[in-house]
Amino acid sequence: MSRSLTSRRVALAVPAALGALALTVPPAAATSTPAQIATSKTNGVAYLKSLQAADGSYAGAGLSNEWVFSAFAAAGTAAVDVTPGGDATKNARTVYRNLLATAGWPSASPVVTDYERGTLNAYAAGVDPARVSASRNLIADIYSYWQTAEAGYFGPSANYNGTVFAALALGGARTQAGGQRVPQALLDAMITRIRANQHNDGGWNYSKAEGNPAQLAAASDIDMTGASMAALCASGVPNTDTDISQAKAFLKSKLVSNSGAFNAMFGANTDSNGWAVSGLNACGINPQTGDFLTSMGKTPVDFLIAQQFNPGGGFRYLPGDTSPSAYASIDGLRAVAGGGFTTAPPAPVTAGAPRWAAQSTFTAGTATTLAVTVDDGAGGLKVCSVAFTPTGTTTTLGDVLTAATTAATPAGCVTSVTPSSGTGTVTAVNGKANSGTSTWKVSVDGTAFAGAARNKVIDVGDTIALRWGV
């Protein structure tokens, strides 16, 4: 993404891309070799390690380098193995987790993209985003921005990128076991909105286009096209889908034949190229063959590697730059390494270091939140973050639903539960009662739906999905 619009990096977006050179029939083989990619990864990781502060941090107040974790994971480097001067007590994962857990993070006036960014990078760093600490649940933080009046959007719908990165975070940050964390009904709601915002040229940009013919006819940009493709694929859309094919065609139309770059608004640059390649990677589309190998034998990966200083490892933003950019180095490495916008953390090499860091239980008396969805089986989906203060190391489904009637954001997620107390089977939610084989069922962290009972044990960070049906 453009360094000229750094404020938009916080919002996870850049403006629209402009015209490009058309392709002719491409040659048959890719150009950047596995050896070249391996060298790029090694040198890129070394450069990003050099950016670590003496206290072990990459992130802090304002604009920071926390996207480094997505690049490290894609390149096969565990964040817990990244230390300043070998001091394991200041490893990058622990320092980042501690930052995310502070009450003042991300700011006094947070926006949904803060929590989406945190989720994507915590996951890549090996921190379970739903279990950062006894009080911090990033998945629940994202849920709190659900737009009840415009179901499927997260954050103000005018900022379309907030919904794109919600899909990337909720679809991409899977459970520690690798399973889908959130219900498909939630992902499908976001898929519908992403499709509705696809421009006539096959791409997307950072602002809302749905329902606006002028915006739908406007030029798309490279960056958000890559991110939107990745969001669809992370949510379960196959790469053979028509909308993915149209996005591929848009990106293909922007290729510069003699370099493999995508022609973006600010000219050929590493950030835009990186986001486009990460979108292709996330969808399992090879950025070095077929549509993305130009008539002059160049690919987007070739362009990125040509942007890298070697052996220094940093990436320049524009081709003429004489020094590396931190953001360009993150976006470039993540893409060259084959990453989308997040990657499951690799196994650490540090002796005794676990792959995951996560809060294991509630702390009695410490206020926290849980992510809850309620699907009435008739197309009505409610999404919320439920605030409550546990009294023990676990809680129950009944206690969470009771809390949801008065302490949900957005409000109205749960208005009533029957029975309203006790330990028995849940027979009605929001006035809709069990009927024959159609009953209220519950899933936690993507497990199979089963009969919902008030005494079901709920652990810290559990993502709760209620659904009425067979």
Side-chain angles (χ1 to χ4, degrees), residues 15-23 201 218-222 249-257 259 261-269 272-273:
L18 297 178
L21 302 177
L23 291 177
D201 61 12
S220 299
D221 76 53
I222 301 300
F250 168 76
L251 290 178
K252 176 182 175 180
S253 75
K254 303 301 179 183
L255 271 174
V256 178
S257 188
S259 67
F262 293 105
N263 192 6
M265 171 172 279
F266 302 99
N269 70 83
S272 296
N273 234 70

Side-chain angles (χ1 to χ4, degrees), residues 36-83:
Q36 289 172 318
I37 291 172
T39 297
S40 176
K41 288 163 60 177
T42 297
N43 293 343
V45 166
Y47 174 75
L48 294 183
K49 285 183 176 181
S50 76
L51 301 181
Q52 188 177 29
D55 64 0
S57 67
Y58 280 97
L63 204 59
S64 60
N65 292 331
E66 65 195 293
W67 282 105
V68 72
F69 298 114
S70 66
F72 277 143
T77 296
V80 71
D81 294 329
V82 179
T83 61

Side-chain angles (χ1 to χ4, degrees), residues 202-225:
W204 290 264
N205 67 28
Y206 68 95
S207 59
K208 182 181 180 182
E210 180 181 6
N212 185 329
Q215 284 296 319
L216 290 168
S220 299
D221 76 53
I222 301 300
D223 311 58
M224 284 306 294
T225 297

Side-chain angles (χ1 to χ4, degrees), residues 69-79 120-127 172-179 339-347 355-356:
F69 298 114
S70 66
F72 277 143
T77 296
L120 290 163
N121 286 293
Y123 177 74
V127 178
R174 301 174 76 83
T175 66
Q176 293 180 42
F341 287 82
T342 194
T343 300
R355 186 182 180 207
W356 291 99

Side-chain angles (χ1 to χ4, degrees), residues 69 73 78-81 91 93-94 96-97 100 118-133 138-139 169 171-181 342-350 352-360 445:
F69 298 114
V80 71
D81 294 329
N91 73 78
R93 179 173 75 184
T94 296
Y96 186 48
R97 182 187 182 191
L100 295 176
T119 295
L120 290 163
N121 286 293
Y123 177 74
V127 178
D128 187 327
R131 299 172 175 87
V132 176
S133 69
L138 292 168
I139 303 300
R174 301 174 76 83
T175 66
Q176 293 180 42
Q180 181 175 301
R181 187 186 301 266
T342 194
T343 300
V349 297
T350 300
R355 186 182 180 207
W356 291 99
Q359 179 75 17
S360 59
D445 279 358

